[in-house]
Amino acid sequence: MSPDPGRAFAVEPWVVREPRLDLDRMGQVESVFALSNGHIGLRGNLDEGEPHAMPGTYLNSFYERRPLPYAEGGYGYPESGQTIINVTNGKLIRLLVEDEPFDLRYGQLHRHERVLDLRAGTLTREVEWASPAGRVVRVRSTRMVSLTQRAIAAICYEVEVLDEPALLVVQSELVANEQLPGRDEADPRVEAALTDPLVAEQHRSAEASATLLHRTRRSGLRVAAAMDHEVHGPDGVKVTTEATEDIGRTTVIARLEPGRTLRLVKYLAYGWSSRRSLPALHDQVRAALAAARYTGWDGLVAEQRQYLDEFWETADVEIDGDAELQQAVRLATFHVLQAGARAERRAIGAKGLTGEGYDGHTFWDTETFCLPVLSHLAPEAAADALRWRQSILPLAYERAEQLGLGGAAFPWRTIRGQECSGYWPAGTAAFHINADIADAVRRHVAATGDEVFEREVGLELVVATARLWRSLGHHDSSGQFRIDGVTGPDEYTAIVDNNVYTNLMAQQNLRVAADTAARHARAAARLGVNAEEMASWRDAAKSMRIPFDDVLGVHPQAEGFTNHQVWDFEATPPQMYPLLLNVPYFDLYRKQVIKQADLVLAMQLRPDAFSLEQMRRNFAYYESLTVRDSSLSACTQAVVAAWTGHLDLAYDYLGEAALVDLDDLAGNSDHGVHIASMAGTWTAVVSGFGGMRMDAGGTGGISFAPRLPPALSRISFGLRWQGRQLRVEIRPGEAEYRLVSGPPMRLHHHGEPLALGDEAQVREIPALDPVDPVEQPYGRVPKGRHPGS
Amino acid sequence: MSPDPGRAFAVEPWVVREPRLDLDRMGQVESVFALSNGHIGLRGNLDEGEPHAMPGTYLNSFYERRPLPYAEGGYGYPESGQTIINVTNGKLIRLLVEDEPFDLRYGQLHRHERVLDLRAGTLTREVEWASPAGRVVRVRSTRMVSLTQRAIAAICYEVEVLDEPALLVVQSELVANEQLPGRDEADPRVEAALTDPLVAEQHRSAEASATLLHRTRRSGLRVAAAMDHEVHGPDGVKVTTEATEDIGRTTVIARLEPGRTLRLVKYLAYGWSSRRSLPALHDQVRAALAAARYTGWDGLVAEQRQYLDEFWETADVEIDGDAELQQAVRLATFHVLQAGARAERRAIGAKGLTGEGYDGHTFWDTETFCLPVLSHLAPEAAADALRWRQSILPLAYERAEQLGLGGAAFPWRTIRGQECSGYWPAGTAAFHINADIADAVRRHVAATGDEVFEREVGLELVVATARLWRSLGHHDSSGQFRIDGVTGPDEYTAIVDNNVYTNLMAQQNLRVAADTAARHARAAARLGVNAEEMASWRDAAKSMRIPFDDVLGVHPQAEGFTNHQVWDFEATPPQMYPLLLNVPYFDLYRKQVIKQADLVLAMQLRPDAFSLEQMRRNFAYYESLTVRDSSLSACTQAVVAAWTGHLDLAYDYLGEAALVDLDDLAGNSDHGVHIASMAGTWTAVVSGFGGMRMDAGGTGGISFAPRLPPALSRISFGLRWQGRQLRVEIRPGEAEYRLVSGPPMRLHHHGEPLALGDEAQVREIPALDPVDPVEQPYGRVPKGRHPGS
């Protein structure tokens, strides 16, 4: 139950327990313990605010503008960026014991435990503390961000005096413009800090409640935060509330006898708008607060558990034989849900709402890693994320026009839709994001069979992106359709011709657009699509150039890639990684060294474009070049390793993807958790070991090719499939398919058709052909989890 | 004699005359009329300071640091830039007529004429002006920056009262931290402005003289400016001088009768140092001033003319048949001399010392365009510029190490040697600058035969750069030596593999290093060069990959270039040019559109690597893609057009190169003149129409293949050649070679050997084979100068 030395958390199946406080890991733990419903995010800061690594209270898409400076500017460079900001902090509950503040850095800490309960959706804390003067108190708090009431968070805070009677003062606060710690600006991945971004507009207080309204200085957004309290304490407890511009404060004073408890339930409501008036926004949060009080603490807790019970019924992945992995996979699934659950037509960021890493931006991660999971576990959240993309199409059309292109060019990184990338070779040039969005549409439609969504949302997205590709590529004199001068997923290469990933994804984008337009002819006509245009998409797709190196017998990542010098891995000591912090882009771009799966990701997402033999050769080749300086790599390598028969390696990579934040493998979990790697964990299990693939289109099929890595005795996973709930169990030598709900269906098991009705079906897993081992670059072998490693 | 409407200057053979003041062209004229000796530069501002476009007083390599900001940073990005600054202005002479300031914007201007005299090396001004109150004065000033006394500038200023007696007050000043006009920051080519960069350290004044000492705030350089005066006026003239921190002011008061003249000679001395103490620097400029006063105004004027007479004896290019071109070629030659004459182991900037464009930085322009001219006209200046490169080798070794490379990596842009490029794809990646420096060494040694220079300076430069190439390139599996991921001269393409220009120049660099090391074995051994290393250079040179497109029968500018989409020139209206201000780099890089000669420059500098047939095909192909958005293009196109038989086109390009500043063809002459285009003008005549080529090495030969464009009746040019002075005259059908001084020599005329002694030799010019016409991109045809155009 105790964590290894060097780990922050204990291993348990359904909870993440921090058995003792470790100030050095505070940032990581704040991120892992962040609670969110996709609309509100609260980092796992201590109730009393300090000590902290980074206090964080976030609202989805609430941002401030900041200038993007350039030593040498250029046409089309975005001049203004967007950055997520820490809004009014409502988590704060300070405590004074007699005349001494409850601060863990002073006095004596007898016990400190925090537990993130993945089924309850709560973060609970238990502390026993002796003040410097020797008064012993027990504090117990439970915090939640409601998945059922989108605007609401709540905290139940209890103090018990253990030794002698004591006068307690509890200050429950709303604080705007919190003082933030400085950050290491030398790391380009670290976000820019913004000081005092909120301008006070209104403050109100009543008995046990307060409301603060602010607006951002530059982006002009308005935010309202309100709190209300229920206090249960001894007779004579006194409750007052005051508010000033940046602070709302409810003060509770009580003299407590030993063994007695002072209990405070704090309800928090948040709202923001770019358009609504002060009174409208004020009333909105007060109404949400009234509903939450009406539901009550117990009611909120019950709703939360019910919501999660329903979620886990489908979503739970069971792993027998690796308790650490079991916990990690559940935590990962939980964070993916938290990121998307109630985002509701707003962006899902790379860090969810768990930290300020990457300025809170949304990248291609969402569509490529996150949505394919949500489409199977929380389809409405996936649909809403794509509806958000549709809502920013006007900006994407504008950006394409600025770049001299047709169709839509979605931003590489953004909060509200404007391009915020300040380095175009790895931003604007990474056009694959547009095909990634189309791919997420394709997968969502295949997973849900939702034709209304396809017609009303999907169609416009695939048409707009197909038009982009048609204008971005061109036919060369031999008739091949080329896409030159773009950047693929691997950020250690940029501005290349015919990146295989990009071209394959664009090819699919063009085909899906033509097919979708054919299926929804009238809706397509309203978008101006005609038969000529559809034919031109099909033709470009058919003529798409996919370079192949005949000498090596592998696909080059892009034209000419395999001619480049191979990075000198032997001469690269461990402290040089991640390379981007220690080597110029210039040197990375011109050599064979890969930050993250690129050609290998192409094989995961377009398996139809590769023979098994090609897949094996390609995987071996790229495995020897990939250093995994990105957290968007291990999960993909896990999938393709499993497909190519490297089950032990797949298992190691699954571990790396799953433990990225629990073990802080990238060293930057303090900036927020890695949502894409967490989503990729699920995919590594389901697509990798489960071998799940879907055909494109609304009525396509689904197939599995399960394989159990030798280290595990059982894997069980569930997913939603076109209105059904399906569960698959992989056991040594066999797999079982079970329809939990929904009409009978057909699927394929290792290529063999299978009809699934009420009765579970068990099928044998065919033996695995032996494969030659593959090698990673010197020093970049993943941590071995598998037996014998 | 009057300029065309739309032109600032009149056409005359030896002077550039501005017949009337045009406030709209003030910036251009200030640049064209800038005087410099390579150490001090004074823009052609009016004596009284205002109105102005940009006041400018520059000292070579005197700069301030400024931060280079990045929206997204990266390893190895320079964090601090260097920018030339306007130092203490000593040109200022203000005049009060009765109680009204002499300001051309008020009162009535009867006459205003300025003349830059290319033989005298002076800028003369004559003004007749009626004050708002009606007093008429005539002001006559002559300004010079001494080519013989490096620290000295001088002004002779005369005022005559024309109608009635008047009280005149003349204030002759030194002003530090002048207020500068704001600049258009949206244009990336425009330099960053710096406010009040100078911190006062000391000020002194005496009778008619003053000295100001300042240091820069961040770069910590110290500058001293001193002035002294001789005053000739009526009895009762009163002279006083005062000084404060930023101002030294000599005031001359005189009551002048009509027809009488007040005459003031102002001597100015400048000095700067990063190391010398206040008293040392103070004394240094006072000593220079004493020497100048001792020489006297007439003496300075006489020295200046003698210096220029000697220069023009070799340097003059005579053009019969095009008076405009005749003037332009002389102005161009004059500015090239001014930029380099007394730079003395400091950098020669892209704008010389005529403006603040490009922050005053030095690029590859110096070695590729400027030094090959100076090696033939002012060899010591060229040698000194290369000695400056040698002096910054420690920084270049450091930079190479930071980039993970061997040898030396010279900065793409700098003032003092540190890399100041804030956009690495067009900065750091443009490694060709290193081969360009080696090429300038090669040319200088060939032109001068100076073996001491070769051993002491050239050897280290070619070895350091050869080592860079050896580490930057690699052998691929087929044994070819590739240079991947670099940027060639054309800035509309970046980060490419095997840029032909780069590879050919690197090839030559490697060969020259091996050959030079062999010639100076002991000196080479001291640099650690051994036979193995020399063999590895020769091997890399021999195996150098030079891509060729067999289908089109042309060299691609870089690997894969000819597969890219051709820019849609027909859809590009004139106002879209220069494209870099209206199109994202992303779009430029991935298409076939060329800013400036790249493959064509390779043909100019490495003619040995191309057959005539290849040269013709390549020229035609690239001609159709080159938009000349850079001033570093027309001169090169002129040379290769002449070589491939397109004499009319060569003539048009020569005109464009020559008139870049006289006609402000790039629209930015206000930021300083285009030294490289001016140098390229001479090269277009001598290498283009003269067909001059040199073999490499200290005792190599020289050859000519003269051709006269139909529009001209005669071209005559001179050059220094291994201690000789040679003059070549091209006439219809024949060419004459004359040895002005020096021992007999051999040369080639159109491939035919020719021995040249005391007697001039005349040879027939063989008939030109007819060639197919070539075409420029739509809308980018050069202005036709040739008959019938």
Side-chain angles (χ1 to χ4, degrees), chain A residues 69-72 75 77 413 422-424 431 472 474 482 484-485 497 563-565 581-584 586 589-590, chain B residues 69-72 75 77 422-424 431 472 474 482 484-485 497 563-565 581-584 586 589-590:
Chain A
Y70 302 95
E72 297 183 25
Y75 177 84
Y77 285 14
R413 55 187 300 174
Y423 177 59
W424 78 263
F431 274 93
L472 189 59
H474 75 286
R482 298 170 55 95
D484 292 336
D497 295 347
N563 293 325
H564 289 178
Q565 190 168 12
L581 297 186
N582 299 291
V583 174
F586 161 73
Y589 287 0
R590 71 199 188 86
Chain B
Y70 302 94
E72 297 182 25
Y75 177 84
Y77 286 13
Y423 177 59
W424 76 264
F431 275 92
L472 190 59
H474 75 285
R482 299 171 55 95
D484 292 335
D497 295 346
N563 293 324
H564 289 179
Q565 191 168 11
L581 297 186
N582 298 291
V583 174
F586 161 73
Y589 286 0
R590 71 201 188 84

Side-chain angles (χ1 to χ4, degrees), chain B residues 256-402:
Chain B
L256 222 60
E257 294 301 315
R260 296 296 299 277
T261 297
L262 175 66
R263 182 172 193 260
L264 190 78
V265 175
K266 181 177 192 175
Y267 299 95
L268 279 166
Y270 285 99
W272 74 265
S273 175
S274 60
R275 285 182 291 192
R276 283 167 69 82
S277 68
L278 263 183
L281 204 62
H282 174 271
D283 290 0
Q284 173 182 326
V285 295
R286 297 303 310 183
L289 213 50
R293 278 206 67 160
Y294 176 81
T295 309
W297 172 256
D298 293 343
L300 287 172
V301 166
E303 282 180 6
Q304 187 88 335
R305 184 172 289 267
Q306 190 189 341
Y307 181 101
L308 284 166
D309 282 349
E310 282 169 23
F311 172 72
W312 288 118
E313 191 187 356
T314 306
D316 189 32
V317 172
E318 292 173 274
I319 306 259
D320 287 3
D322 188 332
E324 203 175 70
L325 194 59
Q326 171 66 79
Q327 179 190 43
V329 171
R330 285 188 175 133
L331 176 71
T333 313
F334 180 76
H335 267 296
V336 173
L337 174 71
Q338 287 207 124
R342 304 299 304 272
E344 292 179 16
R345 308 197 187 191
R346 297 208 192 279
I348 300 176
K351 304 285 181 193
L353 295 172
T354 68
E356 298 175 16
Y358 294 117
D359 277 351
H361 289 168
T362 294
F363 300 74
W364 69 303
D365 311 26
T366 304
E367 277 77 10
T368 301
F369 296 88
C370 199
L371 298 197
V373 179
L374 289 175
S375 290
H376 287 294
L377 303 183
E380 263 317 302
D384 270 347
L386 291 167
R387 286 188 189 103
W388 169 69
R389 286 290 184 191
Q390 186 183 30
S391 77
I392 64 165
L393 264 172
L395 291 168
Y397 288 130
E398 218 174 85
R399 177 71 175 158
E401 200 182 333
Q402 187 185 32

Side-chain angles (χ1 to χ4, degrees), chain A residues 242-360:
Chain A
E242 64 195 314
T244 57
E245 290 199 331
D246 280 355
I247 297 182
R249 183 185 295 118
T250 293
T251 305
V252 179
I253 308 184
R255 178 163 291 280
L256 222 60
E257 295 299 315
R260 295 296 299 278
T261 299
L262 174 65
R263 181 173 195 260
L264 188 77
V265 175
K266 179 178 193 174
Y267 300 95
L268 280 166
Y270 284 99
W272 74 266
S273 175
S274 60
R275 285 182 290 193
R276 284 166 68 82
S277 68
L278 264 183
L281 203 63
H282 175 270
D283 289 0
Q284 174 183 324
V285 294
R286 298 303 310 184
L289 213 50
R293 278 206 67 160
Y294 177 82
T295 309
W297 172 256
D298 293 342
L300 287 172
V301 166
E303 282 180 7
Q304 187 87 336
R305 183 171 287 269
Q306 192 189 341
Y307 182 101
L308 285 166
D309 282 349
E310 283 169 24
F311 172 72
W312 287 119
E313 191 187 355
T314 306
D316 189 32
V317 173
E318 293 173 274
I319 307 260
D320 287 3
D322 188 334
E324 204 175 70
L325 194 58
Q326 171 67 77
Q327 179 191 43
V329 170
R330 284 187 176 134
L331 176 72
T333 313
F334 180 76
H335 267 296
V336 173
L337 175 71
Q338 285 207 127
R342 304 299 304 272
E344 293 178 15
R345 309 196 184 190
R346 297 207 192 280
I348 299 175
K351 303 286 181 193
L353 296 171
T354 68
E356 297 174 18
Y358 294 117
D359 277 350

Side-chain angles (χ1 to χ4, degrees), chain B residues 496-507:
Chain B
V496 295
D497 295 346
N498 300 307
N499 169 257
V500 170
Y501 174 88
T502 302
N503 287 23
L504 284 175
M505 297 301 284
Q507 181 182 55

Side-chain angles (χ1 to χ4, degrees), chain B residues 674-695:
Chain B
H674 298 76
I675 296 294
S677 186
M678 288 176 150
T681 298
W682 186 89
T683 303
V685 171
V686 174
S687 289
F689 291 118
M692 189 269 279
R693 298 184 191 177
M694 290 185 302
D695 300 338

Side-chain angles (χ1 to χ4, degrees), chain B residues 65 95 154 227 236 241 276 279 300 306 337 385 406 475 478 618 668 707:
Chain B
R65 289 213 321 243
L95 170 66
M227 62 176 180
T241 299
R276 283 167 69 82
L300 287 172
Q306 190 189 341
L337 174 71
H475 288 92
S478 72
N618 284 339
N668 59 6
R707 296 258 173 227

